[in-house]
Amino acid sequence: MEKSLVTLDKGTCCSSWNYCCQRLATGSSDGILAIFDSPDPDSSTFTCTSRCKAHETSITKVTWIPPEYGDAVACICLDGKLSLWEEIEEGPHPLKWKVCKHFESNAARVLDLQFGMSQTSLKMVVAYSDGQVKIYELLDPLELKKWQLQAEIQNVIDPVTIFGKPSSSSASISWNPQRGESHQLSFVLGFNSDLPQFNSSKVWEFDEAHQRWLPVAELALPEDKGDQVYVVAWAPNIGRPYEMVAVATSKGIVLWHLGLNPDADGRLPVEKVALLSGHEGEVWQMEWDMSGMTLATTGSDGVVRLWQSNLNGVWHEEAAFRAPS
């Protein structure tokens, strides 16, 4: 017998589980941020424990910060504004969610953001509708309002050429999930814009020696570099001699192998290893499992698909789930 896990509010537009899937944050079309918790750690039923008016317009994305920095979520709303909300304790009163930071923006809208961790600090990459990308760094782990702009870049390989400002409807960011002193801080980013130079997914890596971000790879064949990117996902690595990144465009979901050893120009070798076709329409979201062996995807066709490779390295659709009508 089917059992309801959680009943979402009417008008819910987006949701995000925290790192251990014990809390759920949702955003709705009326700008309400809701938090759902389980009253019993052994229970699989969740109830709403907090609702607050986060924005005047619809919330389009909610993202939890890494657990090392407390209980907080970032919210992007339809008009492109970005805010950070934190659960705080005020004396004898119950815990409350309050805004701790509004990020100033110009005419450009925030399209996507993702948090990443280095050995010493928390980073946040924010992509804007005019093609700009800002990397923020948290100065004090105990003060979520104290962010500093570390870098501002454009998602292009050749920074010398003047391309102008694109008009982007969406962007997607995915951090390299690997941590440790032997791993460089890096992320992959792609745009869905009207300028092809910005669209193709680029891998950005932090150069410690010169304290700057550099593009080290482009995940697109020459004939596909102008394709608009819907979503990207960097797989966990449990011992492969290469990294794996999934990139979804209108042509399907492409799986890339990213080499670990740069060439003389500092670029990492890339190899297209699979093209996964099956979704009808845009792919909206992709998630890897903890081992980086199974990719879950969903999109406008309302189908969740699971992809795996066989012993020969050939990728195939393992299962498909469609919500009952």
Side-chain angles (χ1 to χ4, degrees), residues 226-261:
D227 291 349
Q228 295 169 327
V229 173
Y230 299 146
V231 62
V232 297
W234 197 311
N237 190 340
I238 58 173
R240 292 187 299 260
Y242 55 83
E243 299 290 346
M244 179 170 285
V245 181
V247 178
T249 71
S250 60
K251 296 177 181 177
I253 301 167
V254 181
L255 299 183
W256 294 89
H257 285 179
L258 179 66
L260 304 179
N261 300 315

Side-chain angles (χ1 to χ4, degrees), residues 269-321:
V270 298
E271 179 187 4
K272 178 181 177 181
V273 296
L275 175 63
L276 310 180
S277 301
H279 283 289
E280 298 177 4
E282 291 187 15
V283 175
W284 288 348
Q285 189 172 6
M286 301 191 295
E287 294 285 347
W288 291 94
D289 70 343
M290 294 180 65
S291 67
M293 303 294 289
T294 301
L295 178 67
T297 64
T298 188
S300 58
D301 58 3
V303 180
V304 177
R305 303 181 189 274
L306 301 181
W307 309 86
Q308 292 181 339
S309 67
N310 59 23
L311 295 178
N312 296 321
V314 178
W315 285 81
H316 62 280
E317 183 181 294
E318 182 70 18
F321 307 92

Side-chain angles (χ1 to χ4, degrees), residues 176-199:
N176 180 351
Q178 297 299 105
R179 300 183 187 179
E181 296 180 0
S182 60
H183 295 94
Q184 296 287 352
L185 198 62
S186 54
F187 62 88
V188 60
L189 165 68
F191 275 91
N192 181 349
S193 78
D194 57 357
L195 284 184
Q197 297 87 351
F198 287 80
N199 289 340

Side-chain angles (χ1 to χ4, degrees), residues 12 17-18 20 24 53 56 58 67 94 96 137 167 182 188 230 233 253 261 265 273 320:
T12 297
W17 291 98
N18 70 346
C20 59
L24 177 68
K53 183 72 171 180
E56 294 302 320
S58 173
K96 291 185 178 181
E137 182 177 23
S167 176
S182 60
V188 60
Y230 299 146
I253 301 167
N261 300 315
D265 296 326
V273 296

